[in-house]
Amino acid sequence: MDEYDIHIKDGTIVDGTRVPSYRGDLWISDGRIAQIGGRPDKPSKEVIDAGGCIVAPGSIDLHTHYDAQIRWDPYCSISSWHGVTSVVLGNCGFGFAPCKPDFRERSMLTMVRTEAIPLAAMQEGMLPKWDWETIPEYLDSLDAAPKGVNVLQYMPTASLMIYVMGLEAAKSRPANNAERKEMQRLLHEGMDAGLCGFSIQRLGPNSTQSDFDGTPMVTDTMIDDDIFVLAEVLRERDEGFIQLTQATSADVNNAEDLDFKRRLAEVCGRPIIDNVVPVSQRNPRVHEERLEWLEQAHNDGLRIFGQGASIRTGFAFSLDEWNLYDSSPAWREATTGTIEEKIRKMSDPAIRERLRAETDEAATLFANTQGAVGGPPRKLVVQGVTRREDLQKYVGRSLGEIAETEGKHYIDVMLDLSLETDLRTEFLGQGPEFNVDHMSAVYTDSPYTIPGVSDGGAHTKFFSGGAWTTDFLAWIVRDEKRVSVEEAHYRMSTLAAHAAGFKDRGVLTEGAPADVLVYDMDELAIDPEWIGEATYDLPGGEWRRVQRAHGYRHILVNGVETFQDGECTGATPGKLLRHGRG
């Protein structure tokens, strides 16, 4: 007898199109939604009782760095734990293809500092599976790998430039005409094979996310014309999308940066995802100016979408692997090299004097960075001292408080405690201070904005951004009631799919792939809150911070259940979405 595969029964359907939610049933066959509402004409093999639950499209995580992790973790956790069914790889211009065989180790090193992905995890979890050089070979390899989520891939521009120009040339000069033509050819080749565009991070010579040796990443100092020649490929093909992270000034609404983004949109004629919409917890004009700029761009026919960071999360870190003070030359110097080299530099009186001065007199860019990654250093709280009994008296106290008590500079307190523990003293950023009016306005006051920027797979020892979906629904939608559940799923799924090139996903409609969430809104929660917990579950004996999800009863990818009540089923139904389709 012919049967449906799954019947999701008696749920509140939020289909992602902004249609008001309604009570109804949904049937799935062969990985797609076969019927919504009405009465079925045949039985079902499995029935999921969704009574009291919301049935919605799976969330799409546009800004991740799971490029390495997906090779050992098909589910790209923690994003998948929190209702994400599709992710985008190759963001910020970073990735692992194209890559010549003799550059594999150095390619992994580029991700050790800028995205804080442990080298040992990549060496054990990805390197043995590395069977590609070109983009078509890479996509074939990714296609064949088991996946618990769907994947869309951009061309990582830094990898492309290094492949064509060599590392030193790519870091030190513009491309010549022959190199530009070759980069265009390879982008065409990659697009033919299934890429959905290209990505770039451009943060200037004092990038807050440097290479492993403290030098800027290749794209950080890339000139406009080298970017425009890639944009011309998209215009010629009239397809593809650009993910852009550009902030070359301390002013987050810097006119030159915004002007470049407009010119890039004009050259490519295609959508751009701009990371990120800035939010000040005190000054509403910061996000208002960016939203007004997005409005004007669309009025002028330029399809620029702003993506905002919406999660409430804390930062906890130790100086053995800390990298997010890199916009300060002194901190960048002190925190690069081996542990022994870092210890030597942090003990050097001259370097200490520079660290004190650059922290006390922080330029606006560094001050903004400090605020974003834990707050002013004097307010950092000592979280752990490697269980040293003689240092327990410092735990729970701020650096400023200890400094006042001991008559020292707070940076000396930070460095001295770190040196006592081989740089493993852990510091916790100041408590949460989030302005829900400002953070929610990004999504209520503009039709061109998308929540997210999880950075999933990156910086995982410092913070846990992959829980943004749960936080958005539980905080902004349920608790604060600033965004309706219909609008939330439209932004998290439908608009995200439209902006990034997913062709038939992000909505619950008959015939669409069945990426479906069944969750209890009242039970949604992040566990533990704020900074998560350390878990040693990475290859190479490495660890990360994780936050579990509560409230998701069922998560389906292409009609197959991947998680039930937080437990992984072991199924890997995810697909590589070449050209956004699949």
Side-chain angles (χ1 to χ4, degrees), residues 517-538:
L517 308 181
V518 179
Y519 69 90
D520 186 326
M521 178 68 87
D522 292 335
E523 293 182 2
L524 283 185
I526 297 169
D527 181 24
E529 295 181 341
W530 196 226
I531 62 168
E533 63 181 357
T535 302
Y536 284 83
D537 65 351
L538 297 185

Side-chain angles (χ1 to χ4, degrees), residues 157 160-161 164-165 174-188 191 198 200 222-237 242 260 263-264 267-268:
T157 301
L160 174 65
M161 291 184 68
V164 171
M165 300 174 63
N176 59 38
N177 287 338
E179 290 163 341
R180 288 176 177 174
K181 288 181 190 272
E182 179 64 3
M183 287 193 289
Q184 287 181 317
R185 185 189 73 78
L186 291 172
L187 180 55
H188 273 297
M191 297 285 288
F198 66 91
I200 287 179
M222 192 176 183
I223 69 167
D224 292 359
D225 286 345
D226 283 348
I227 300 173
F228 291 150
V229 296
L230 299 178
E232 289 168 2
V233 172
L234 304 193
R235 172 175 286 279
E236 178 183 338
R237 301 175 69 97
I242 299 173
F260 168 77
R263 287 186 290 128
L264 182 61
V267 172
C268 72

Side-chain angles (χ1 to χ4, degrees), residues 171-325:
K171 285 203 174 207
S172 61
R173 64 170 175 81
N176 59 38
N177 287 338
E179 290 163 341
R180 288 176 177 174
K181 288 181 190 272
E182 179 64 3
M183 287 193 289
Q184 287 181 317
R185 185 189 73 78
L186 291 172
L187 180 55
H188 273 297
E189 178 183 75
M191 297 285 288
D192 288 343
L195 293 181
C196 283
F198 66 91
S199 65
I200 287 179
Q201 166 191 288
R202 199 157 64 149
L203 301 180
N206 285 319
S207 171
T208 55
Q209 296 192 158
S210 304
D211 202 346
F212 90 103
D213 58 359
T215 60
M217 294 294 285
V218 164
T219 56
D220 280 331
T221 55
M222 192 176 183
I223 69 167
D224 292 359
D225 286 345
D226 283 348
I227 300 173
F228 291 150
V229 296
L230 299 178
E232 289 168 2
V233 172
L234 304 193
R235 172 175 286 279
E236 178 183 338
R237 301 175 69 97
D238 194 22
E239 65 175 346
F241 303 76
I242 299 173
Q243 181 272 324
L244 178 66
T245 302
Q246 173 153 331
T248 61
S249 164
D251 179 1
V252 292
N253 286 311
N254 171 261
E256 290 184 6
D257 283 340
L258 296 180
D259 179 64
F260 168 77
K261 294 171 185 180
R262 285 183 59 95
R263 287 186 290 128
L264 182 61
E266 290 168 353
V267 172
C268 72
R270 300 294 304 169
I272 293 176
I273 300 170
D274 178 28
N275 298 142
V276 294
V277 176
V279 175
S280 164
Q281 305 306 320
R282 294 180 175 82
N283 180 9
R285 286 304 297 160
V286 172
H287 70 266
E288 289 170 354
E289 287 179 10
R290 184 62 64 89
L291 299 185
E292 290 163 4
W293 178 81
L294 286 170
E295 181 79 24
Q296 187 59 55
H298 278 264
N299 289 343
D300 295 339
L302 304 175
R303 287 182 286 170
I304 304 176
F305 295 91
Q307 192 175 19
S310 58
I311 190 170
R312 299 167 296 171
T313 186
F315 277 80
F317 64 90
S318 51
L319 295 183
D320 55 343
E321 297 187 70
W322 185 232
N323 69 312
L324 292 178
Y325 284 173

Side-chain angles (χ1 to χ4, degrees), residues 1 25 39 55 135 184 197 200 228-229 318 396 445 499 567 579:
M1 177 187 294
D25 292 11
R39 295 182 178 176
V55 179
I135 284 289
Q184 287 181 317
I200 287 179
F228 291 150
V229 296
S318 51
D445 296 357
E567 295 298 322
H579 309 289

Side-chain angles (χ1 to χ4, degrees), residues 336-347 423:
T336 54
T338 64
I339 292 294
E340 292 73 22
E341 289 169 336
K342 293 174 187 178
I343 289 173
R344 176 182 55 77
K345 285 185 280 190
M346 291 181 200
S347 303
L423 308 189

